[in-house]
Amino acid sequence: MALIVQKYGGSSVEDTESLQRVAKRVAQTHKAGHQVVVVVSAMGDTTDDLLDMASSITPEAPKRELDILLSAGERISMALLAMAINEQNVPAMAYTGAQAGIRTDTRYGKASIVGMVPERVVRAINDGHVAIVAGFQGVNEYDDVTTLGRGGSDTTAVALASALHADVCEIYTDVDGLFTADPRIVPTARRVRTLDFEETLELAASGAKILHLRAVEFARRYHVPLHVRSSFSDLDGTWISHKPADASLRGIAPKEAFRSKEDNVEAPIISGIAHDRSQDKITLVGLPDEPGFAARVFEVLGEAEVNIDMIVQNVAVVHPGRSNITFTLPDADAAPAMKALQARADYLQYQEVVHNPAIGKLSLIGAGMKTSPGISAKFFSALYNAGINVDMISTSEVRISVVIHEDDLDDAVRAVHKAFDLDSDETEAVVYGGTGR
C-alpha cells in the first residue's frame, strides 16, 4: 500500500462529466489498496471568469476580498468531486485549505506556505476515506483566506505530499507528461520519460506551464517524487526525482521509466524547449554609471514586490557616464514596477523609462550544455535561419534563454526544436483538453 497525492488541474475537472471521469480514476487507485489524497483546481476557466467579474466592478479589487472570491472556485470543484467519488462507493470527504491545515503568510494573492498541520486529512485517510483538498489556498494568522498565486494548486499538492510523507505526488493535466516543446505549437514534440529536479526547475522557470515553479522548488527541497501525466489517458507520463531508482517509487513507477545517470554521462542531453509569453521588458535609459545605482533600481523594485527574471546592463554610447539597464518581469508586475520607478525618478536619476510588453522568451534546456561545444552555435544558427532577431541573452549551466519579439515566438520554437532533432517518431503529443486561458 502506498500513500499517493493526486492533483487535478482545471481542464481535468472542467465539467461534471470530467469530474465523474476523475472520480473513477481516484476510486480505482483507492480500491487497489492505496491511501489517496486529492488536490483539485477550480473547474475549467472559473478563476478567469471570477477575475473578469471582479474587474467589471472595480479596476483594483481589495486583495483580501479578491482572495475570498477566487478561493470559491476550488471549493466548488472539491465538493462536487467528493460527491462523485462517493457515488463510486468509495468514502470521500472534502476540505478547504484552512481545514486541511495549510497555513500561509499574510500576502494576499501571492501567499507562501509557512506551515502544514494536516491533522484532519490524516484522520480521514486512516479511516479509509479519500481526502479531497481545495488547491491554491490556505489561511493566514488572522484566519483570513489567502491564495498562493496562479498555479498554486501544484504547490498545495507537493506541500501536502511532503507533510504526509507520501510515496509520490501525481500531477494530472491535459497532456501525457512533459514534452520537448509545447505540443500546441509542435505537434511532433517528444514525451520526456524522466527528468531530474534541476532540469525541471529550468523548464518551469522558463515558461513550461505544466508544472508551477514553486511546486518544483518545494519538491526538490523536500525530496518529493513527481509523476506528471494525463487524466485523459492511461499512458505513463514523466517521472521527476532526485535519483532514478528512488526506493519510494518501487511498485509505483516502472523500472524502465528512469534512465541511468551513468549512461552517456557526458552526452549533451537536450531535455526540451520552453517558451514564455507572459513577460514584459522594461529599460531604464541614462542611469548614472556609478556604483550603487543598480542597487537602487532593484531596491525600489523589491519594495514593490516585483519579480525580476533576466537583467542586462550596458554603457550608453551617446551619453558618457550613463548606462542602460534592461530587465524582464511577469506582465502582471509591469504596472506596479513602472509606478514604483516613476515615483522614485529623482532617487534613481535615470533619463527615461521604456516599457515593452511585446516580447517572448525562448529557452533551450539540457544537462551538459556548458561543456558541449557547438550547442550555442546550433541554437543561434537556427534562429538566424528562421529570420529571428534576438534582443537579450541569458545562460546557465543547463539553459540558454533569449528574448525575442512575441510574434516570432512560435516560429522560433519550431525552428530550434527541428534543429536539435527533437521530433518524435510517434504521434503522441496529444492535447486532450483546456482552453489555454
Side-chain angles (χ1 to χ4, degrees):
M1 181 178 69
L3 172 53
I4 300 174
V5 174
Q6 297 181 340
K7 180 263 176 178
Y8 292 91
S11 60
S12 297
V13 293
E14 65 180 352
D15 51 33
T16 54
E17 182 180 349
S18 300
L19 283 164
Q20 290 169 332
R21 184 185 64 251
V22 167
K24 290 178 181 178
R25 184 184 288 270
V26 173
Q28 288 172 355
T29 306
H30 184 269
K31 290 175 182 178
H34 302 301
Q35 292 180 311
V36 186
V37 176
V38 177
V39 174
V40 66
S41 297
M43 298 171 65
D45 292 329
T46 299
T47 301
D48 290 298
D49 293 339
L50 292 172
L51 283 169
D52 290 343
M53 283 189 279
S55 63
S56 71
I57 294 172
T58 172
E60 293 189 23
K63 292 183 178 180
R64 178 183 178 275
E65 278 59 44
L66 191 60
D67 272 7
I68 294 173
L69 174 68
L70 297 183
S71 66
E74 280 72 18
R75 295 183 181 215
I76 293 169
S77 54
M78 77 176 191
L80 290 173
L81 182 59
M83 296 174 194
I85 293 172
N86 276 294
E87 284 297 302
Q88 297 292 320
N89 296 316
V90 171
M93 296 187 70
Y95 301 94
T96 65
Q99 292 170 334
I102 301 172
R103 310 294 300 187
T104 76
D105 61 19
T106 57
R107 293 191 306 161
Y108 299 105
K110 293 182 179 180
S112 295
I113 296 173
V114 297
M116 297 288 299
V117 191
E119 294 178 355
R120 297 183 69 177
V121 173
V122 171
R123 288 201 299 270
I125 60 176
N126 286 342
D127 289 341
H129 290 73
V130 172
I132 315 295
V133 178
F136 174 64
Q137 62 187 255
V139 62
N140 65 21
E141 61 184 271
Y142 306 115
D143 290 328
D144 284 342
V145 173
T146 54
T147 64
L148 308 181
R150 298 305 297 264
S153 292
D154 286 354
T155 305
T156 302
V158 176
L160 272 172
S162 173
L164 297 170
H165 304 289
D167 293 278
V168 66
C169 180
E170 298 181 335
I171 307 293
Y172 285 91
T173 181
D174 57 4
V175 291
D176 293 313
L178 288 168
F179 284 78
T180 50
D182 186 339
R184 295 170 179 83
I185 296 176
V186 186
T188 55
R190 182 188 310 154
R191 178 159 48 98
V192 181
R193 265 56 175 187
T194 180
L195 283 170
D196 62 30
F197 281 118
E198 296 302 322
E199 293 167 300
T200 309
L201 273 172
E202 291 286 3
L203 283 166
S206 299
K209 302 300 183 184
I210 299 301
L211 277 173
H212 195 232
L213 176 61
R214 286 166 60 189
V216 182
E217 291 172 338
F218 213 111
R220 180 181 67 165
R221 184 180 308 149
Y222 296 104
H223 302 270
V224 178
L226 302 177
H227 185 195
V228 182
R229 59 192 310 195
S230 173
S231 64
F232 298 83
S233 78
D234 293 323
L235 288 176
D236 197 59
T238 302
W239 289 88
I240 303 164
S241 180
H242 273 298
K243 48 187 181 292
D246 195 308
S248 65
L249 299 179
R250 292 173 187 168
I252 303 174
K255 291 181 179 179
E256 60 271 18
F258 295 97
R259 66 173 183 248
S260 171
K261 293 293 182 182
E262 285 71 36
D263 293 343
N264 301 318
V265 68
E266 291 193 306
I269 302 169
I270 303 301
S271 302
I273 298 162
H275 72 280
D276 190 354
R277 302 181 193 279
S278 64
Q279 292 205 357
D280 289 7
K281 182 175 71 172
I282 292 177
T283 301
L284 287 172
V285 180
L287 195 73
D289 188 20
E290 301 173 13
F293 276 88
R296 291 189 186 190
V297 170
F298 296 106
E299 170 195 322
V300 169
L301 294 171
E303 290 172 354
E305 297 186 350
V306 170
N307 292 312
I308 303 299
D309 185 13
M310 298 171 65
I311 303 171
V312 171
Q313 181 177 18
N314 52 61
V315 176
V317 176
V318 178
H319 301 286
R322 296 278 175 170
S323 66
N324 301 333
I325 290 183
T326 300
F327 57 88
T328 62
L329 72 172
D331 51 15
D333 286 347
M338 290 292 291
K339 183 177 180 181
L341 292 170
Q342 290 166 348
R344 304 295 298 277
D346 291 342
Y347 176 62
L348 299 175
Q349 299 180 34
Y350 59 79
Q351 295 174 331
E352 183 184 7
V353 58
V354 180
H355 173 215
N356 180 8
I359 67 164
K361 185 174 77 169
L362 173 70
S363 301
L364 181 72
I365 292 96
M369 289 173 53
K370 186 176 181 179
T371 56
S372 302
I375 296 293
S376 296
K378 183 181 290 189
F379 177 74
F380 288 104
S381 292
L383 296 176
Y384 166 72
N385 291 332
I388 295 167
N389 188 50
V390 174
D391 289 341
M392 297 173 66
I393 302 170
S394 175
T395 64
S396 74
E397 290 187 355
V398 296
R399 172 187 52 80
I400 304 172
S401 293
V402 295
V403 169
I404 59 179
H405 195 281
E406 64 177 351
D407 292 342
D408 294 330
L409 197 53
D410 287 4
D411 289 339
V413 171
R414 287 187 283 265
V416 174
H417 196 271
K418 183 177 181 180
F420 283 90
D421 299 319
L422 296 177
D423 288 348
S424 173
D425 295 330
E426 308 169 14
T427 305
E428 58 177 349
V430 180
V431 180
Y432 296 94
T435 65
R437 288 195 68 186

